Amino acid sequence: MESTPQNTNQLFKHKALTWANTFDVCAVFDSNNYPDTFYHYDMLIAAGAKTELNASCGHAFEQLRKFYNANLNWMFGLLSYDLKNELENLQSTKPDHLKFPDLYFFVPQYLISVKGTTIEVLLGNTNILQQIENIIIKPLPSAEVTMQSSSSKSDYIKQVKELQQHINRGDCYEITFCQEFFAKNVKIDPLTVFKTLNQISSSPFAGYFKIYDQYILSASPERFLCKRANQLISQPIKGTAKRSSDPQIDQQLRLSLKENEKEQAENVMIVDLVRNDLTKSAVPGTVKVTELFGIYTFPQVHQMISTITCELNPKIHFVDAIKNTFPMGSMTGAPKIKAMALIEEKENSKRGAFSGAIGYINPKGDFDFNVIIRTLLYQATEQYLSFKVGSAITYQSVAENEYEECMIKAEGMLNTLKGLNNQPF
């Protein structure tokens, strides 16, 4: 174990990320110093795959449970959105240019934690800290990348109005509808792009996940599910307001979001859905909403976030608790199954990793997973770059306003790809 002054930790983080990226497989999760009651670490750096699990829909969660029980070690992984097809009578037939695994986990060769001023090697020899210290950061320029939308604004508005017809018929009452932005035949340096994204859109659940030639560059503000001892915690986001550079206007936007009845209605629908999901794994009577309509501020947006907790039933394996709540209700809508069916019908491409989750499980069975939003996905071999943004469609929604909300959420990714914000790391 070694300690280092807080003002040098940022340089260590950049060096550690650069070091981790030299391996075929790595995962780096950074809280960016956001306060969080449930954090164990400020940063985790996992590098190299000692052993791996790559599972397809069918029995993927069962394989994960067996993989964990066989290793009883730290593991880092991806749960793709389309695992829904294993959980419900659903399918995914839309184009998939990214081809991420349905479920992928690895036990790392090396694992480093950063907590406050303390840097600790959890797996591997401590001499790796000297290797990291010796790394020289060579910043690479980020070329400007032009992204194109999978649908025009007019097509998007038409699709929203069609979804509202389903809502008016009573098929469902909320649908999280997303659109893709993509670029083909584009070569980027994922490490540089992630560092830029993490600077522009600093977030509490940021993550860099490399699976050979596939990259997840995440500036996620949202927690999917966390386990601490016998407690489960889920923190869905529903409710968004843009930021202003004028402090007074910005504060007014924040207050307006807090008091917005439409945003509150969207949020409470998903809170009810998450409560129901957690009930499947909870000791009866322990599911509680510990915070409703909390307002949190991020670089581009203010968000409305609620927190739901429960006590995990000791008869339920924690992997089944993940399964019982997946995918995150804030990214589906409600009722969940019908909303997911309509998402498959109306969206133009397979979600894959998007709106799934990345995170870790520790040897004691505690875990923490984000929701893969505000995230760039890159397939290096195919040179395909993509991100998706969406919003909750309800009967109250105005299609043009929902489109503008998507554009606000896209801002951090688009600014990252302009190649105008490079800093020497």
Side-chain angles (χ1 to χ4, degrees), residues 119-407:
I119 296 170
E120 184 178 0
V121 177
L122 302 178
L123 294 176
N125 196 299
T126 56
N127 64 12
I128 58 175
L129 294 180
Q130 189 58 53
Q131 294 177 28
I132 293 169
E133 186 63 34
N134 292 339
I135 284 177
I136 298 172
I137 303 291
K138 296 178 180 178
L140 296 175
S142 232
E144 182 169 353
V145 177
T146 301
M147 306 292 282
Q148 55 183 307
S149 176
S150 61
S151 62
S152 65
K153 182 177 181 179
S154 59
D155 285 342
Y156 172 89
I157 289 171
K158 178 175 178 288
Q159 289 167 320
V160 168
K161 290 180 177 179
E162 289 173 356
L163 288 171
Q164 286 180 306
Q165 291 176 11
H166 285 277
I167 293 169
N168 290 334
R169 285 201 298 266
D171 296 338
C172 53
Y173 45 89
E174 182 173 342
I175 306 159
T176 301
F177 178 56
C178 302
Q179 58 179 310
E180 182 187 20
F181 289 78
F182 66 93
K184 295 180 179 178
N185 302 315
V186 60
K187 191 171 183 179
I188 65 167
D189 176 55
L191 187 62
T192 300
V193 171
F194 173 72
K195 286 181 176 181
T196 305
L197 176 64
N198 200 35
Q199 181 187 45
I200 292 172
S201 293
S202 172
S203 65
F205 300 103
Y208 182 88
F209 204 117
K210 175 184 178 182
I211 310 172
Y212 300 98
D213 64 345
Q214 296 171 303
Y215 296 83
I216 299 171
L217 317 176
S218 182
S220 175
E222 184 170 17
R223 172 179 273 131
F224 159 50
L225 192 67
C226 169
K227 177 177 174 288
R228 295 290 176 254
N230 64 343
Q231 186 182 41
L232 296 177
I233 306 102
S234 187
Q235 295 181 296
I237 293 178
K238 267 291 168 271
T240 303
K242 64 181 180 180
R243 299 288 311 275
S244 171
S245 58
D246 183 311
Q248 287 186 322
I249 296 175
D250 193 56
Q251 180 64 11
Q252 185 56 52
L253 289 167
R254 192 176 189 277
L255 292 173
S256 295
L257 173 61
K258 185 175 181 64
E259 297 166 1
N260 188 306
E261 292 183 1
K262 173 184 174 294
E263 303 284 15
Q264 289 179 355
E266 291 179 9
N267 191 286
V268 80
M269 287 178 196
I270 300 306
V271 166
D272 284 343
L273 187 157
V274 172
R275 287 173 60 195
N276 181 65
D277 283 350
L278 286 175
T279 299
K280 301 171 189 174
S281 309
V283 173
T286 64
V287 178
K288 297 177 181 176
V289 180
T290 57
E291 182 179 31
L292 187 64
F293 309 150
I295 305 299
Y296 293 82
T297 297
F298 302 100
Q300 278 82 38
V301 292
H302 302 292
Q303 301 270 207
M304 184 180 287
I305 305 177
S306 293
T307 301
I308 307 99
T309 65
C310 74
E311 183 181 336
L312 176 62
N313 188 326
K315 297 178 182 179
I316 303 290
H317 194 285
F318 71 82
V319 171
D320 292 319
I322 297 171
K323 177 180 177 180
N324 288 340
T325 52
F326 192 83
M328 179 56 141
S330 61
M331 294 308 297
T332 63
K336 203 170 189 178
I337 298 173
K338 182 60 177 179
M340 290 191 291
L342 287 169
I343 286 167
E344 174 64 24
E345 179 184 327
K346 295 298 182 184
E347 292 185 4
N348 293 335
S349 59
K350 184 178 178 179
R351 285 196 177 182
F354 171 72
S355 72
I358 52 174
Y360 71 85
I361 304 170
N362 76 10
K364 295 181 179 180
D366 281 3
F367 59 78
D368 206 352
F369 288 89
N370 77 357
V371 182
I372 302 177
I373 56 174
R374 321 291 158 82
T375 296
L376 289 158
L377 302 171
Y378 184 55
Q379 222 293 357
T381 301
E382 300 295 328
Q383 297 186 350
Y384 188 88
L385 180 66
S386 168
F387 72 82
K388 291 186 173 77
V389 286
S391 65
I393 310 304
T394 67
Y395 79 96
Q396 289 181 302
S397 293
V398 177
E400 290 81 359
N401 294 347
E402 300 298 334
Y403 183 84
E404 291 307 317
E405 180 176 323
C406 289
M407 294 304 102

